[in-house]
């Protein structure tokens, strides 16, 4: 019985090419969960509008991301793959939740503070209320689990606060979701400034590895990755952030433990180590890149996937939205 399974919802913004960070922190774990759970994986295109986008690029990235989800092993029959803006209930519940989310709590969001510092000329209302829309994404599906990288944990926590507040006022309406943060790969840092997370908005293109990048470019970026003057491969994030980040990436890509990695490279220089990490990442991403490129040639198939995903998602979302509208006192149409 489908309903006996627990639910998962997660999403990624199609605001640029997917990064190694979003792969290791999120998508890679999604496919592994899809046997055990009833999974909804979306493309958070409405969220991208909080930062100015080039319209044609946003469309291109969205289609590419649908292809990449499938190429990462997300079977569109087993998982509901859909685009957020194709299910209007997200914006509808988002508005209701805006009215149950406090100015003070939104002001404390780390991502809002970071993004408003980076986009000082466009601190719009959407950037501020972003977590309420994300809460709507999750709560519409009554999700039990939300697999995300570490940077999204605070947003899942505020979602829980909003749901508890609403349930407290109107009785049980929303399932309270748990974040699922992977043990390795939850915080992939920039290769050139390892104190910052790897991000597609990174000003330095050398710091960020993209999932669909050419192997020679990936190898070059790892070759230039920042390390230290110690010449010792040892896991110590505080004192050796660059080397520790590379170890995390290598561990996530190869399945090896930190102890095994330290033993493998004891007495070697960083050159060999960086080359091995780069090669492991190239091999990890190669089949995904090839499959994404193959899928992108079949636009009709991709369209059929996101259309059917939107239909399936809309059915699940409509039930929660109707319940919420009734509880808050909106007259049924
Ligand atoms: P976004 O698009 O910034 O990132 C997508 C996912 O990738 C993870 N991630 C990382 N993990 C490890 N290291 C990194 N360097 C790294 N960079 C990104 C993120 O933690 C995330 O899991 N607001 C969300 C999208 C969203 C969403 C949702 C997620 C909208 N609605 C509902 C879950 C549930 C975002 O901007 O993620």
């Amino acid at each position: 019985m489908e309903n006996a399974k627990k639910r998962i919802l997660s999403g990624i913004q199609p605001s640029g090419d997917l990064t190694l960070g979003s792969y290791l922190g999120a998508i890679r774990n999604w496919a592994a969960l899809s046997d055990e759970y009833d999974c909804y994986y979306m493309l958070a295109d409405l969220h991208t509008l909080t930062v100015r986008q080039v319209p044609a690029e946003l469309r291109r990235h969205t289609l590419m991301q649908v292809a990449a989800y499938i190429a990462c092993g997300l079977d569109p029959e087993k998982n509901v793959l859909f685009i957020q803006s194709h299910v209007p209930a997200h914006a509808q519940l988002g508005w209701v939740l805006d009215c149950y989310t406090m100015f003070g709590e939104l002001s404390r969001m780390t991502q809002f503070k970071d993004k408003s510092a980076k986009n000082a000329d466009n601190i719009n209302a959407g950037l501020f209320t972003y977590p309420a829309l994300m809460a709507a994404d999750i709560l519409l599906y009554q999700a039990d689990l939300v697999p995300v990288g570490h940077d999204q944990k605070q947003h899942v926590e505020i979602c829980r606060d909003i749901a508890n507040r609403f349930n407290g006022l109107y009785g049980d309406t929303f399932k309270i979701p748990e974040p699922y943060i992977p043990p390795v790969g939850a915080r992939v840092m920039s290769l050139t400034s390892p104190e910052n997370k790897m991000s597609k908005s990174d000003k330095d293109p050398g710091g960020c590895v993209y999932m669909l990048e050419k192997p020679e470019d990936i190898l070059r970026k790892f070759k230039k990755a920042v390390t230290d003057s110690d010449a010792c491969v040892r896991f110590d994030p505080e004192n050796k952030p660059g080397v520790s980040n590379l170890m995390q990436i290598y561990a996530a890509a190869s399945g090896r433990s930190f102890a095994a990695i330290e033993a493998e490279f004891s007495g070697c220089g960083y050159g060999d180590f960086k080359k091995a990490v780069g090669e492991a990442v190239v091999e990890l991403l190669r089949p995904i890149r090839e499959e994404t490129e193959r899928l992108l040639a079949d636009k009709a198939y991709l369209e059929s996937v996101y259309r059917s995903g939107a239909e399936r998602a809309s059915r699940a979302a409509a039930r929660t939205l109707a319940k919420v509208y009734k509880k808050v006192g909106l007259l049924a149409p």
Side-chain angles (χ1 to χ4, degrees), residues 11 13 21-22 25 42 47 130 134 137 148-149 151-152 185-186 188 198:
Q13 297 190 55
S22 45
M42 60 169 215
H47 277 109
Y130 178 119
M134 179 160 159
D137 300 336
V148 284
D151 62 319
Q152 292 298 323
V188 179
M198 181 181 283

Side-chain angles (χ1 to χ4, degrees), residues 10-326:
S10 197
I12 297 182
Q13 297 190 55
S15 50
D17 293 326
L18 286 165
T19 70
L20 179 65
S22 45
Y23 180 65
L24 295 179
I27 319 179
R28 191 162 84 130
N29 311 298
W30 296 358
L33 295 163
S34 56
D35 280 327
E36 202 184 326
Y37 292 86
D38 187 18
C39 299
Y40 289 77
Y41 294 125
M42 60 169 215
L43 289 89
D45 60 344
L46 293 174
H47 277 109
T48 70
L49 304 181
T50 56
V51 174
R52 290 280 172 268
Q53 303 292 324
V54 177
E57 284 292 286
L58 177 56
R59 276 188 286 271
R60 188 175 70 80
H61 286 133
T62 304
L63 201 64
M64 193 142 80
Q65 195 166 305
V66 175
Y69 276 13
I70 304 168
C72 286
L74 298 175
D75 175 346
E77 300 291 324
K78 253 204 251 166
N79 303 275
V80 182
L81 308 183
F82 69 101
I83 297 172
Q84 185 187 30
S85 66
H86 293 181
V87 182
H90 289 251
Q92 291 168 305
L93 183 62
W95 169 254
V96 175
L97 296 185
D98 276 348
C99 304
Y100 294 84
T101 308
M102 299 301 136
F103 184 89
E105 59 190 346
L106 289 174
S107 315
R108 287 191 290 276
M109 292 292 114
T110 313
Q111 193 169 68
F112 172 67
K113 290 190 233 167
D114 286 354
K115 285 203 175 167
S116 38
K118 278 190 193 150
N119 301 283
D121 55 345
N122 184 23
I123 307 177
N124 58 70
L127 195 63
F128 189 62
T129 61
Y130 178 119
L133 178 60
M134 179 160 159
D137 300 336
I138 298 167
L139 300 177
L140 268 178
Y141 299 91
Q142 306 288 351
D144 297 276
L145 204 65
V146 185
V148 284
H150 189 272
D151 62 319
Q152 292 298 323
K153 190 164 172 245
Q154 196 183 33
H155 288 159
V156 181
E157 278 160 5
I158 193 177
C159 168
R160 289 165 57 90
D161 293 342
I162 298 168
N164 276 319
R165 179 173 303 135
F166 196 96
N167 287 351
L169 287 166
Y170 300 103
D172 256 4
T173 310
F174 298 123
K175 179 77 72 66
I176 308 299
E178 297 282 341
Y180 170 81
I181 316 277
V184 272
R187 293 176 95 146
V188 179
M189 311 308 274
S190 158
L191 298 187
T192 48
S193 51
E195 57 293 340
N196 300 316
K197 81 163 184 177
M198 181 181 283
S199 156
K200 46 199 160 195
S201 58
D202 199 335
K203 293 264 175 319
D204 179 356
C208 183
V209 174
Y210 295 98
M211 279 177 60
L212 306 179
E213 219 167 0
K214 291 204 229 55
E216 57 269 30
D217 293 337
I218 297 180
L219 292 172
R220 189 174 32 80
K221 286 183 181 176
F222 278 99
K223 198 168 163 193
K224 290 197 179 151
V226 166
T227 48
D228 49 52
S229 53
D230 234 20
C232 169
V233 176
R234 182 165 48 80
F235 192 69
D236 177 357
E238 201 155 311
N239 299 307
K240 296 167 70 68
V243 169
S244 303
N245 183 40
L246 293 172
M247 283 182 75
Q248 289 258 15
I249 294 173
Y250 192 52
S254 69
R256 259 167 258 206
S257 67
F258 292 147
I261 299 171
E262 287 177 2
E264 183 180 349
F265 295 101
S266 105
C268 296
Y270 287 150
D272 289 345
F273 171 55
K274 292 202 274 189
K275 187 160 171 272
V277 183
E279 284 168 357
V281 169
V282 164
E283 289 320 312
L284 181 74
L285 298 180
R286 186 191 304 280
I288 299 172
R289 177 172 47 84
E290 290 172 357
E291 182 63 2
T292 304
E293 280 164 6
R294 195 186 67 74
L295 287 163
L296 272 173
D298 191 351
K299 300 266 184 312
Y301 171 67
L302 296 176
E303 218 175 276
S304 73
V305 167
Y306 67 68
R307 285 219 174 121
S308 122
E311 274 170 29
R312 289 160 74 191
S314 295
R315 277 198 294 279
R319 285 197 281 277
T320 304
L321 186 69
K323 195 155 129 187
V324 168
Y325 273 12
K326 190 168 173 202

